[in-house]
Amino acid sequence: MILSIFVIAYQFTYAQYTITGRVTDAKNGDPLPFATVGLKGLNVGAQTNFEGIYVIKSKVLTDSIYVSTVNYKKRSKVLDKKALSQTIDFQLQGEARSLDEVVVYSGENPAFKILRKVSENREKNDRKRLTAFEYNSYSKMELDVDNLSDKFKERKVMKQIQGAIAKFEKLAGEDGKAVIPTFISETLSKFYFRESPSRKKEIILKNNIKGVGVKEGGFVSQLVGGNIFANYNFYDNFVPFLGKDIISPLGENWKGTYKWFLADTTDVDGHICYGLEFDPKNDKDLVFVGKAYIDTTSFALVQIDATVGKEANINFIDKIKISQELEQTSEGAWLPAKTRFLIDIAELTKNSAGMLLKMYISNKDFVVNKPKELSFYDLPIEVAEDSKEPDPKFWLEARHESLSAQDILASKLIDTVRNVPIVKTYVEIAEIIASGYKRFNKFGIGPYLTSFALNKMEGLRLRLGFKTYSNFSKDWILKGWLGFGTKDKVLKYGGEVDYILSRRHWSVLGIKHSYDLERLGLTPELIGDNKIFYAFTRWGAYTGAFYRRESEIFLKTEPTKGISFTGAFTTRAFDPLFEFQYRTHPEAGKNSPTLDYYNDTFFTLEARFAKNETYIMDGNERIALGSKRAPTLTLTYQHGIKTLNGNFNYDRFMAKVFQSFRVGTLGRSDYTIQAGYIPTNLPAPLLFPHLGNETFFYNRAAFNTMHYFEFVSDKYVSLNYNHNFEGLLFNRIPAIRQLKWRLIASANVLFGSQREQNKELMQDAIPVINPRHIKGDLQPRYSFSGLDPNKPFVEIGYGIDNIFKIFRLQAFHRLSYLDHLSPSGREPKPFALKASVHFSF
């Protein structure tokens, strides 16, 4: 008895209390690193690590424990004084705060001296000083549904998973909100980077993917890798995210854009660091708020927690948060060891739910300054053949860190949710809207956008098409469609067979044939990839109609990254439904015979240069993600052949340059420069028709105050320039800054000409006697005007983007050729108002 009393007394005298826990965001469950946790009334505490976990050891306890961190409300909880060990988690509510409310400076801000040192030492600390680096990576991605209102929970689909919701509400904690996972993935990969020339490559070694509506395939496998898309560098002037350029707090404009406060010093993995808090001077700009930790000796960035709030001019987003912890390499430069980012997608309506996209990336085993040969980087993203690894035992050893209780529960829940019938229906509808096709296992039916149209030539036009997927074949791609008009009663059709020769160098051999009704100046090769605009041109009056029969065999290949070539042999038959003729022997003048149709046989050679272009593979399709900073150049040469069923020998030269670039804090611009030259005399439809726009819809690639086929050139050069100020001006007008409008401006300029020989070619001569058409059923004849070589066509535009987050309204003024008639004799419109609907962040 005496011994027991002695042991108890000893424990209370020399005991050490241990308190552990995790601090997370109450709304989304995201861990909060470097939050301060302490015992109230004592100078005893700790800071949370990158995972939001803290550990406090103390010989004495007080009544309560508290936690505080930047931009969150301070919280306290009662302690159990009898327990030697206890776990106390915190869920913190966000709170807006401006540094101006808490900081008063006398003299220069002490943070400025530190930031100048960061700038001075940027060159030796930035990863750009390395010639190459590589590392092993583990990433985890999760997509959740959050902000579940009571009304939303009453919906039929949610009632079927009420049990799962209850489990997550319990797991969220007393102060947190439940989030329902719909997708979770784990990925092991190897990432490689080479500085000069700049190349990236990520090899996906193993994947563990589970999600609602997710099908097995390379597309998802590549997206979950993470390092290609989330390799943020805060030393750069801008941090790219969701197609936006967010001003970096450590870039060159750190002083002009941000307010700074020297908060504290702390130990980050053995590095004593200054803690610097930063706040934007204008929260409507694309800027961060957060805290950066700077090493006191090397002045390198060791960790940063940066958040973009819903006040910023970004659509559909409540919050973007990036947390990054860096590790110093043997060469002195720092690489990201851990990165976590979160996108909190807002609810579209009051009674809908929001979405959360969370990703965690852990990197280790850094190897620097050992670049691979250039050919190694040809495929930016590569998925290993045996990448799928369902064995749980493998992942227990392979993970850099263990899964949380929420991760384990999420995996079980997804298995249940994705088999709910109504969920399957919603997934199929969403896939049809996104891809345009109703997908089956090996093929898809569509696209729905061109499935029907109504015009004066065809009446009601119906069209049905299909294409095969990689489940059908990983080498062969089949496409086909049938169309029919209730008025012209002509069957239209098309088919294509492609064979993938190489995925590494993306080489495709194909053959296709089609017969369809087209329009002058609105053919697919002129409109390009704007499928929505092309679909709209099939409605209405349908002027300049002609039937075209086309056959083509082509080969595309990319021998090295960023450089691709295309060769094609094509035959086309032009059969117009308007009064048309051209002189077959123009040297005979009016005595020349004429034809009202032609056959065109030609071959095409095209070279495309797109430096640093990134792309991913979606089954048998390659999806380009754009080329950053560098312009994309396309050079094309075509040669017409008269001997192979063609009516003309000719040469055609074309060039196109496109670039999108940042103009500092003024916003983002893009331009397209095009030029063409045909030294041969040809009928007007074979020259360069300039793309007009008679619809109410804005078209970036068109001249929006020009009629269809109003001008035709045999040589030309054009510029289409667009600039988006991204809220730069509207963000500073108090009355409208909450609307998040964005001022836009554009200018389109065209220099062109048409030789007299080409004009004479289209003049009257011996009339064509053609029994193919009944008198009176043809549309009127068109004029094929050329531009004055000394007078450019010019239009300027201005407008507002982001109206209600989806509308764009732009006015255009035509500044030249104000008395020029359209091909059908209509007066020009000096002013046009165009609108468009598009979703952008």
Side-chain angles (χ1 to χ4, degrees), residues 40 42 92 157 194 227 349 437 498 500 525 534 606 705:
K40 189 170 289 187
L42 292 177
L92 302 186
V157 63
R194 175 176 175 145
N227 279 279
T349 63
Y437 284 81
D498 298 340
I500 301 175
E525 62 270 16
Y534 180 67
E606 182 176 281
T705 58

Side-chain angles (χ1 to χ4, degrees), residues 625-636:
L625 302 179
S627 180
K628 297 180 181 178
R629 301 184 182 89
T632 299
L633 171 64
T634 305
L635 301 174
T636 307

Side-chain angles (χ1 to χ4, degrees), residues 617-683:
M617 294 298 302
D618 182 11
N620 287 339
E621 295 184 31
R622 191 168 79 157
I623 302 173
L625 302 179
S627 180
K628 297 180 181 178
R629 301 184 182 89
T632 299
L633 171 64
T634 305
L635 301 174
T636 307
Y637 168 71
Q638 290 180 341
H639 179 71
I641 308 171
K642 191 173 183 178
T643 56
L644 297 175
N645 197 39
N647 290 101
F648 313 100
N649 290 318
Y650 63 85
D651 296 293
R652 182 197 303 259
F653 304 90
M654 293 169 284
K656 179 180 179 180
V657 181
F658 172 81
Q659 184 179 15
S660 175
F661 59 95
R662 184 85 198 182
V663 191
T665 58
L666 297 178
R668 176 166 286 277
S669 289
D670 67 74
Y671 68 85
T672 303
I673 298 175
Q674 299 186 76
Y677 175 60
I678 301 176
T680 318
N681 298 327
L682 293 171

Side-chain angles (χ1 to χ4, degrees), residues 127-196:
R127 69 189 76 169
K128 290 190 178 75
R129 66 167 293 186
L130 300 173
T131 58
F133 56 81
E134 60 188 77
Y135 49 73
N136 294 316
S137 183
Y138 166 80
S139 60
K140 181 176 64 178
M141 182 185 289
E142 184 178 330
L143 182 64
D144 305 322
V145 177
D146 74 336
N147 293 339
L148 304 173
S149 65
D150 291 336
K151 190 169 184 178
F152 185 79
K153 293 178 183 178
E154 292 300 315
R155 295 184 178 182
K156 184 177 179 181
V157 63
M158 298 307 295
K159 284 186 176 181
Q160 298 185 39
I161 56 173
Q162 279 297 332
I165 294 176
K167 291 180 181 179
F168 272 87
E169 286 177 338
K170 181 178 180 181
L171 190 63
E174 57 183 318
D175 304 312
K177 296 182 179 180
V179 294
I180 307 301
T182 60
F183 173 91
I184 189 169
S185 71
E186 296 179 276
T187 303
L188 286 174
S189 64
K190 185 84 173 181
F191 181 75
Y192 302 85
F193 178 81
R194 175 176 175 145
E195 176 60 31
S196 182

Side-chain angles (χ1 to χ4, degrees), residues 15 55 141 312 314 328 330 369 412 473 477 627 731 739 829:
V55 178
M141 182 185 289
I314 302 180
Q328 190 172 25
S330 57
N369 293 344
K412 295 179 181 179
S473 171
I477 306 171
S627 180
N731 284 354
L739 298 175
K829 293 184 178 181

Side-chain angles (χ1 to χ4, degrees), residues 411-619:
S411 181
K412 295 179 181 179
L413 173 67
I414 289 172
D415 286 333
T416 302
V417 174
R418 63 183 175 184
N419 291 316
V420 175
I422 194 170
V423 172
K424 290 183 177 180
T425 302
Y426 286 167
V427 168
E428 288 183 3
I429 293 173
E431 186 175 41
I432 291 173
I433 294 173
S435 68
Y437 284 81
K438 164 59 179 166
R439 181 163 185 162
F440 298 93
N441 183 34
K442 297 182 178 181
F443 67 95
I445 300 296
Y448 67 87
L449 191 63
T450 57
S451 60
F452 69 94
L454 192 64
N455 61 70
K456 290 185 178 180
M457 299 302 299
E458 298 175 286
L460 176 62
R461 173 189 170 97
L462 302 174
R463 185 183 186 276
L464 182 66
F466 80 95
K467 68 176 181 180
T468 61
Y469 296 117
S470 56
N471 289 347
F472 171 79
S473 171
K474 292 187 178 298
D475 299 319
W476 293 94
I477 306 171
L478 307 181
K479 302 176 184 178
W481 61 271
L482 290 173
F484 185 79
T486 57
K487 184 176 181 180
D488 68 348
K489 295 181 173 57
V490 175
L491 180 67
K492 294 93 175 177
Y493 55 86
E496 182 175 346
V497 179
D498 298 340
Y499 181 73
I500 301 175
L501 300 170
S502 170
R503 290 179 181 269
R504 175 172 292 277
H505 297 291
W506 190 238
S507 300
V508 180
L509 176 67
I511 185 170
K512 58 184 178 181
H513 177 76
S514 65
Y515 181 70
D516 202 0
L517 187 68
E518 300 288 357
R519 298 182 67 180
L520 279 177
L522 295 168
T523 53
E525 62 270 16
L526 182 62
I527 293 176
D529 293 331
N530 195 333
K531 294 181 176 59
I532 296 178
F533 181 75
Y534 180 67
F536 278 122
T537 64
R538 290 197 169 275
W539 293 72
Y542 217 86
T543 56
F546 66 93
Y547 287 107
R548 182 163 80 176
R549 190 181 306 277
E550 180 178 22
S551 300
E552 181 175 284
I553 182 170
F554 63 88
L555 172 65
K556 300 178 180 179
T557 185
E558 186 181 62
T560 186
K561 179 176 170 57
I563 302 177
S564 60
F565 298 98
T566 301
F569 178 79
T570 309
T571 63
R572 289 175 180 162
F574 176 80
D575 185 11
L577 296 181
F578 55 90
E579 292 184 5
F580 169 80
Q581 66 176 26
Y582 65 95
R583 297 176 180 180
T584 59
H585 295 79
E587 67 279 0
K590 292 185 178 181
N591 295 320
S592 171
T594 60
L595 285 178
D596 65 349
Y597 72 95
Y598 60 76
N599 293 318
D600 183 22
T601 301
F602 60 95
F603 66 80
T604 303
L605 296 176
E606 182 176 281
R608 183 174 181 272
F609 305 90
K611 183 180 179 181
N612 299 331
E613 185 173 46
T614 303
Y615 56 84
I616 57 177
M617 294 298 302
D618 182 11

